[in-house]
Amino acid sequence: GDGAKAWLESVLPRTFGPAFVALIDEWPLALFFVVSELWSSGVCQLMFWQVANDVMTVRQAKAYYPAIGAMGNLGMVVA
């Protein structure tokens, strides 16, 4: 309740405390923001691998999937 919010604001530094307390107080909104940010990445990856599975044979997949995965990880690092 309000006692916990007041205690957190008194314990945390002034530059950090109010924002963190507001984040905890409004946790459903913060959770929605995080999930909505992650949703697009997950859905795009899922659709990409579904198309790749439809287009490639098993032999091609064994040859190309490691390279595709490595390039995807490299792309995340570069971005």
Side-chain angles (χ1 to χ4, degrees), residues 1-25:
D2 291 331
K5 289 182 352 185
W7 177 78
L8 274 174
E9 287 176 347
S10 69
V11 172
L12 295 172
R14 291 181 192 264
T15 57
F16 181 71
F20 186 70
V21 171
L23 180 69
I24 290 175
D25 192 36

Side-chain angles (χ1 to χ4, degrees), residues 23-68:
L23 180 69
I24 290 175
D25 192 36
E26 299 292 337
W27 70 266
L29 296 175
L31 180 65
F32 177 77
F33 176 78
V34 170
V35 169
S36 65
E37 287 291 321
L38 295 176
W39 181 258
S40 63
S41 299
V43 170
C44 286
Q45 289 178 10
L46 180 67
M47 289 190 311
F48 170 79
W49 287 113
Q50 285 177 337
V51 170
N53 286 332
D54 286 342
V55 172
M56 294 187 186
T57 65
V58 174
R59 181 177 290 171
Q60 289 173 329
K62 287 181 181 179
Y64 292 123
Y65 279 12
I68 292 171

Side-chain angles (χ1 to χ4, degrees), residues 45 67-79:
Q45 289 178 10
I68 292 171
M71 286 187 286
N73 289 336
L74 180 64
M76 286 189 297
V77 170
V78 171

